[in-house]
Amino acid sequence: MAELATIEELIAQGPQRVGRCELSFIPPIRKTWLAPWPGEQVAFSDAMQNAFGLALPASGEVLRAGTVSVVWVGREAAILLEAEATPELAAHGAVVDVSDGWTRMLISGEDAVQVLARLCPVDLRTELYAQETALRTQIGHLSALVVAGRTDGVELWVMRSFTAHLHEELVTAMEGIAARAVSLG
């Protein structure tokens, strides 16, 4: 079995450029898992609105207010980015620091969507999304969160333990798309 690089080694390599595609790591930031207790959804969302000017996102939503973002990650669950949760939130639901649990990457360039089409069953063409949209899907055989509709590429989230494997899968797909372009060129 091949030995996978550590996340730190991958980040130190910098962005991977292959053909007309680039894969880079998004710098780590504070990530807080949010999930209201049963029956506390309205109070939880109100507490979020009071603290950050953002409600608990609906399915697929990515909400932003200044430097703070909240991303839908599943039924009645979201991840808060760049902000510390308030005690009021904790009174109405689960609030867990997951900063080290998730890795985020950005794949960009002319061939990014073609690369992802080899690995992901969701059509990720930017023009299909009026705004940033969070999607739970598979990339290869890994469970992932994808943020589509960004103007600078497609954001990919995976659990930290899957990072090296996903990186390898994406670079291999990038090489395949680049080789195909050369052979058809």
Side-chain angles (χ1 to χ4, degrees):
M1 181 175 199
E3 189 69 29
L4 297 174
T6 67
I7 295 168
E8 292 74 19
E9 291 169 340
L10 293 172
I11 292 171
Q13 291 174 11
Q16 300 287 301
R17 292 179 186 88
V18 180
R20 299 180 305 180
C21 200
E22 180 175 291
L23 179 62
S24 58
F25 284 90
I26 297 172
I29 58 172
R30 175 188 290 273
K31 297 177 212 68
T32 306
W33 180 273
L34 305 174
W37 305 128
E40 293 286 326
Q41 291 85 350
V42 173
F44 193 89
S45 194
D46 289 346
M48 285 187 60
Q49 191 69 44
N50 292 337
F52 310 111
L54 298 167
L56 188 65
S59 180
E61 282 188 326
V62 177
L63 305 175
R64 299 187 188 282
T67 61
V68 178
S69 303
V70 63
V71 179
W72 171 88
V73 295
R75 184 172 179 251
E76 300 291 337
I79 290 186
L80 178 67
L81 302 172
E82 290 281 356
E84 189 169 336
T86 65
E88 186 181 3
L89 282 175
H92 300 289
V95 176
V96 180
D97 184 347
V98 293
S99 299
D100 290 336
W102 291 82
T103 304
R104 299 185 309 150
M105 297 179 216
L106 184 71
I107 187 165
S108 59
E110 293 178 56
D111 291 337
V113 171
Q114 288 183 352
V115 167
L116 289 169
R118 287 186 168 205
L119 301 170
C120 182
V122 178
D123 190 341
L124 296 170
R125 290 175 290 162
T126 303
E127 61 270 15
L128 298 177
Y129 302 92
Q131 60 193 21
E132 286 182 289
T133 303
L135 308 158
R136 291 305 300 248
T137 187
Q138 298 288 120
I139 302 176
H141 64 278
L142 301 174
S143 178
L145 178 79
V146 174
V147 178
R150 288 179 56 140
T151 57
D152 59 345
V154 179
E155 187 175 331
L156 312 171
W157 295 41
V158 293
M159 299 304 290
R160 181 179 175 92
S161 59
F162 299 149
T163 302
H165 180 71
L166 178 61
H167 186 272
E168 183 177 293
E169 291 274 335
L170 289 166
V171 170
T172 299
M174 290 164 60
E175 291 168 347
I177 293 292
R180 184 172 183 264
V182 169
S183 70
L184 296 176

